Amino acid sequence: MENVTATEFKVPTREDVAPINQAIFDNLNKALGFVPNLYATIAYSENGLKRFLDYQNAKTSLSNKEKEAVNLVVSQVNECVYCQSAHTVLGKMNGFNDAQLLDIRKGKNDNPKLDALVKLAADITLNRGKANNETVEYFFAQGYTKENLVDVILQVSDKTAMNYLHNLTNVQVDFPLAETL
């Protein structure tokens, strides 16, 4: 196998990927109007894209807005420009305004429940799962449950995988840049 550096990493086209991934590309094009570069990059693995999308789209106790808050703060902690950009766009689509998105990237929110969620997701990410007890207690004090805690950890793992993939491959960002906030 050839040695590929991140600067040489090309986003595969539909013709470059296995038939199972070609079908997924077609579905993404229908749903989104394009195939995000990071999803296309996962398609280098014949089974990776389907496996990842199944995981990403699985049922959770978190609302879409809560998932986007987790996605954005984890992407900020992991310094992933691609995912910061994507989740800024998706965060707006889920009801966050620019000021709220900036606050989430800073690890806070003016809503106490979302603040607890954002702080816990950042703490889990920063400390590789060894969150501070006070942060965990704050999370539970805001009405979150053990089910929510498990789902936050799963959401952090989903986003961390994507962050690492982009940080390694450095594929082109195909969303408006988050730095414009």
Side-chain angles (χ1 to χ4, degrees):
M1 185 166 166
E2 82 178 34
N3 222 353
V4 178
T5 66
T7 56
E8 297 171 338
F9 219 92
K10 304 281 189 253
V11 176
T13 65
R14 185 183 186 284
E15 293 73 33
D16 297 329
V17 300
I20 188 171
N21 288 328
Q22 290 177 353
I24 295 170
F25 277 31
D26 293 344
N27 290 336
L28 288 167
N29 267 314
K30 285 178 195 164
L32 304 175
F34 73 112
V35 177
N37 285 343
L38 210 49
Y39 284 173
T41 302
I42 296 172
Y44 272 115
S45 167
E46 183 174 347
N47 298 302
L49 184 56
K50 181 183 181 323
R51 187 175 78 198
F52 182 76
L53 289 174
D54 286 347
Y55 182 66
Q56 190 174 60
N57 294 318
K59 289 186 179 189
T60 177
S61 63
L62 302 175
S63 70
N64 285 340
K65 192 169 188 174
E66 289 169 321
K67 285 171 49 176
E68 288 311 318
V70 171
N71 290 339
L72 189 55
V73 74
V74 170
S75 298
Q76 182 71 32
V77 170
N78 286 329
E79 300 176 359
C80 179
V81 173
Y82 187 100
C83 294
Q84 288 170 20
S85 300
H87 294 291
T88 294
V89 171
L90 292 168
K92 285 182 181 183
M93 291 171 59
N94 280 281
F96 289 116
N97 64 38
D98 288 351
Q100 291 169 322
L101 291 167
L102 283 172
D103 278 349
I104 291 168
R105 289 177 63 184
K106 294 174 185 171
K108 61 183 182 176
N109 191 275
D110 59 359
N111 173 301
K113 190 167 185 176
L114 278 175
D115 185 61
L117 175 69
V118 167
K119 283 181 173 23
L120 180 63
D123 196 0
I124 288 169
T125 306
L126 280 167
N127 296 301
R128 293 177 274 195
K130 297 177 184 170
N132 180 298
N133 285 336
E134 288 146 11
T135 306
V136 176
E137 291 304 320
Y138 178 45
F139 177 79
F140 288 133
Q142 297 307 313
Y144 284 109
T145 65
K146 290 178 181 175
E147 176 185 20
N148 299 136
L149 177 67
V150 170
D151 287 342
V152 169
I153 293 165
L154 293 173
Q155 194 66 38
V156 168
S157 72
D158 160 348
K159 197 44 43 199
T160 297
M162 293 297 275
N163 295 164
Y164 286 7
L165 182 63
H166 183 262
N167 289 348
L168 179 66
T169 64
N170 201 30
V171 296
Q172 181 180 353
V173 175
D174 50 359
F175 291 89
L177 292 178
E179 284 77 24
T180 60
L181 278 181

